[in-house]
């Protein structure tokens, strides 16, 4: 649902040759490191003073509150997962509001330096300058188990080891996800995960003293290839991850391995100060750098688009259930505020912040369905012939049996309409095939989202509220992250869906 990035703050030292680069980063000052999941960033920041002495900030100097701008002045950031959407929002925010920060080191996966520079130009610089977006499907929960383990658990281990080598480390910040709490129910507090935690045991699904053995899971994930035929390795490893996640009480491979990452950080950090940011479902920006900016199909967007195209008229969901949605720019603002507050404190403890809305401003599924209908009723999607697609009100079903009946009824009705509209047998057959593909797509989406559309947990954000209370009024204006202040109707109908259609669909299906 969301993801994370490590950040580290350190004081700057001169950077020499390429061979000295890693040592320079380690020694450079205050480094904020936050381990990262798939497609997420990590950051390093260093204390620097610009040549010629201090420069004036583009923002009004804040004499009270946390002192975010003052603290981050001259700092150097080390950011992993820097080509991911959330990292881009973060980097843009830093460059726009704090131009006198130190260096920003970006960790980019590539086969060589030239390929890394190409990715930097194409996936970061052009995007930040033009506001364009590349398309990525957001189905993290079907990751291969070995890949997810490698990124979210083993990658995090490497980052912690790197952080421990930073001589003037101030903070290690990990962006995780609210859903590392798995199938916990009721009000969920901002508490760290402990090594070996097992949600299934908490919920009495597994009896006894069963603990999660992370190293055993690593071996299982990486050695499982021997048990599978070559042509079935990828799918079997996806299935294995989902099976292991559900066994221990998590919804899917992604959140399961993100939870492992959190446990590893707490277990190996030593006296490093750690902040864990747990966002809900990260969606398009609310205000900055402009409303509705996003990349790829995020969590709820395949459902939004399929409904608008007339391919999905209902869904399997608790009508009174809640989807915890937060705009990306709010997550970034909370991250910067937490970096500044705890970077100044330098206490060797671990602090968790849920950047979430399910308690303070819940988005109820029935209300979301109504908002989707209102949007597409006033701004319909256009078919390939330029004709508006009129959609009915979205129906929500509490049982798979009822939903399946609805889907088949839909397919039969559309097939009959196609037969009446065309005497061409080939066209009718083509339409029937399209209907059946829509049916399969609907079942596929249900398989992905059912653990979340019936999720009974509500994320308490008391720590996040206290962090906001420490901010000055100026800071709240520049770095606000109050999820309770979002007008859901305005955000969904006037910001998010238009942004989705503009930046992900590239304007396809829009009037004019």
């Amino acid at each position: 649902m969301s993801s994370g990035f490590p950040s580290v703050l350190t004081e700057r030292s001169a950077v020499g040759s390429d061979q000295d680069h890693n040592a320079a980063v380690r020694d450079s000052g205050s480094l904020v490191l936050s381990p990262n999941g798939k497609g997420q960033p990590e950051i390093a920041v260093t204390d620097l003073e610009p040549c010629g002495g201090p420069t004036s900030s583009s923002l009004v100097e804040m004499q009270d509150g946390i002192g975010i701008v003052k603290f981050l002045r001259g700092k150097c950031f080390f950011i992993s997962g820097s080509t991911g959407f959330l990292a881009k929002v973060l980097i843009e925010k830093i460059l726009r509001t704090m131009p006198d920060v130190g260096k920003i080191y970006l960790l980019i996966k590539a086969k060589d330096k030239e390929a890394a520079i190409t990715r930097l130009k194409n996936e970061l610089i052009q995007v930040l300058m033009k506001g364009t977006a590349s398309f990525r499907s957001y189905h993290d929960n079907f990751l291969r188990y070995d890949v997810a383990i490698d990124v979210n658990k083993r990658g995090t281990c490497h980052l912690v080891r790197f952080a421990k080598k930073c001589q003037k480390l101030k903070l290690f910040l990990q962006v995780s996800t609210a859903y590392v709490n798995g199938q916990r129910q009721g009000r969920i507090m901002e508490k760290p995960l402990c090594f070996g935690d097992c949600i299934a045991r908490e919920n009495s699904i597994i009896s006894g003293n069963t603990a999660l053995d992370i190293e055993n899971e690593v071996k299982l994930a990486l050695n499982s290839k021997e048990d599978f035929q070559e042509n079935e390795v990828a799918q079997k490893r996806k299935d294995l991850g989902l099976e292991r996640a559900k066994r221990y009480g998590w919804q899917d491979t992604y959140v399961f391995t993100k939870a492992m990452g959190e446990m590893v950080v707490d277990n190996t950090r030593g006296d490093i100060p750690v902040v864990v940011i747990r966002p809900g479902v990260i969606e398009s920006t609310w205000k900055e750098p402009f409303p509705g900016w996003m990349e790829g199909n995020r969590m709820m967007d395949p459902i939004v688009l399929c409904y608008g195209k007339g391919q999905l008229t209902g869904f399997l969901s608790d009508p009174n259930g809640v989807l915890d949605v937060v705009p990306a720019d709010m997550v970034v603002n909370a991250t910067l505020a937490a970096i500044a507050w705890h970077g100044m404190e330098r206490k060797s403890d671990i602090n968790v912040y849920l950047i979430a809305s399910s308690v303070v401003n819940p988005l109820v599924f029935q209300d979301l369905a109504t908002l989707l209908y209102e949007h597409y009723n006033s701004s319909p999607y256009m078919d390939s012939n330029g004709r508006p697609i009129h959609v009915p009100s979205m129906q929500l079903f509490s049982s798979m049996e009822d939903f399946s009946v609805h889907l088949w009824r839909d397919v039969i009705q559309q097939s009959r309409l196609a037969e009446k509209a065309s005497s061409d047998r080939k066209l009718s057959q083509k339409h029937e095939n399209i209907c059946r593909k829509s049916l399969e797509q609907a079942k596929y989406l249900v398989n992905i989202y059912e653990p979340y559309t019936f999720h009974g947990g509500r994320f308490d954000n008391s720590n996040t509220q206290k962090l906001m209370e420490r901010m000055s009024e100026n800071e709240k204006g520049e770095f606000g992250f109050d999820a309770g202040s979002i007008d859901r109707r305005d955000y969904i109908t006037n910001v998010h869906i238009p942004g989705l259609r503009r930046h992900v669909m590239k304007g396809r299906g829009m009037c004019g």
Side-chain angles (χ1 to χ4, degrees), residues 67-321:
I68 299 171
V69 172
K70 183 178 180 180
F71 175 78
L72 293 178
R73 178 177 294 132
K75 299 295 189 299
C76 292
F77 291 80
F78 173 86
I79 306 177
S80 75
S82 53
T83 57
F85 171 57
L86 188 62
K88 291 171 186 173
V89 180
L90 173 72
I91 294 166
E92 190 281 333
K93 177 78 174 188
I94 293 172
L95 294 176
R96 176 166 49 84
T97 62
M98 292 167 278
D100 51 358
V101 296
K103 289 188 177 181
I104 301 178
Y105 296 90
L106 305 178
L107 183 61
I108 298 175
K109 183 178 180 180
K111 64 179 181 179
D112 53 36
K113 183 177 179 180
E114 183 179 347
I117 292 174
T118 299
R119 286 196 69 191
L120 174 67
K121 291 179 179 178
N122 295 341
E123 299 183 37
L124 249 169
I125 296 175
Q126 289 185 12
V127 170
L128 295 180
M129 291 180 66
K130 300 178 181 178
T132 57
S134 58
F135 183 84
R136 290 183 182 178
S137 181
Y138 191 73
H139 289 159
D140 278 334
N141 55 335
F142 281 120
L143 283 173
R144 286 172 45 152
Y145 198 27
D146 55 331
V147 174
I149 285 275
D150 206 38
V151 173
N152 293 329
K153 188 276 176 185
R154 299 176 75 194
T156 300
C157 287
H158 296 321
L159 288 165
V160 174
R161 283 198 290 269
F162 173 77
K164 287 182 174 180
K165 295 178 182 178
C166 298
Q167 295 182 355
K168 299 180 181 180
L169 180 71
K170 290 189 176 179
L171 183 70
F172 184 100
L173 184 141
Q174 177 180 20
V175 178
S176 184
T177 167
Y179 291 93
V180 293
N181 287 288
Q183 297 291 8
R184 285 173 173 162
Q185 303 296 304
R187 200 177 188 102
I188 299 170
M189 308 307 289
E190 294 160 298
K191 295 181 179 180
L193 287 171
C194 297
F195 203 72
D197 273 353
C198 176
I199 306 299
R201 183 182 60 205
E202 293 177 16
N203 294 342
S204 300
I205 297 172
I206 295 180
S207 59
N209 296 319
T210 303
L212 172 61
D213 186 335
I214 295 178
E215 291 309 315
N216 183 63
E217 293 302 311
V218 172
K219 293 176 183 176
L220 181 65
L222 301 182
N223 297 334
S224 60
K225 183 177 180 180
E226 301 171 3
D227 302 325
F228 306 140
Q229 297 295 325
E230 189 63 34
N231 61 350
E232 61 180 15
V233 168
Q235 186 58 49
K236 289 292 185 181
R237 282 186 167 177
K238 291 178 184 178
D239 295 342
L240 176 63
L242 198 55
E243 183 271 322
R244 300 302 291 178
K246 291 185 175 180
R247 170 181 170 78
Y248 287 102
W250 277 268
Q251 292 94 327
D252 53 55
T253 309
Y254 175 69
V255 297
F256 183 38
T257 54
K258 289 294 288 183
M260 291 184 196
E262 280 198 28
M263 294 177 196
V264 164
V265 169
D266 191 32
N267 190 56
T268 61
R269 66 186 180 87
D271 60 356
I272 293 177
V274 170
V275 166
V276 179
I277 300 290
R278 291 179 183 165
V281 176
I282 299 176
E283 289 289 354
S284 61
T285 55
W286 184 35
K287 293 181 179 179
E288 296 183 317
F290 50 84
W293 180 32
M294 66 186 307
E295 283 192 332
N297 271 331
R298 311 294 300 172
M299 167 69 172
M300 66 179 183
D301 303 326
I303 299 171
V304 173
L305 290 175
C306 286
Y307 171 68
K309 295 176 182 179
Q311 298 170 353
L312 189 68
T313 59
F315 204 68
L316 183 66
S317 170
D318 176 3
N320 298 314

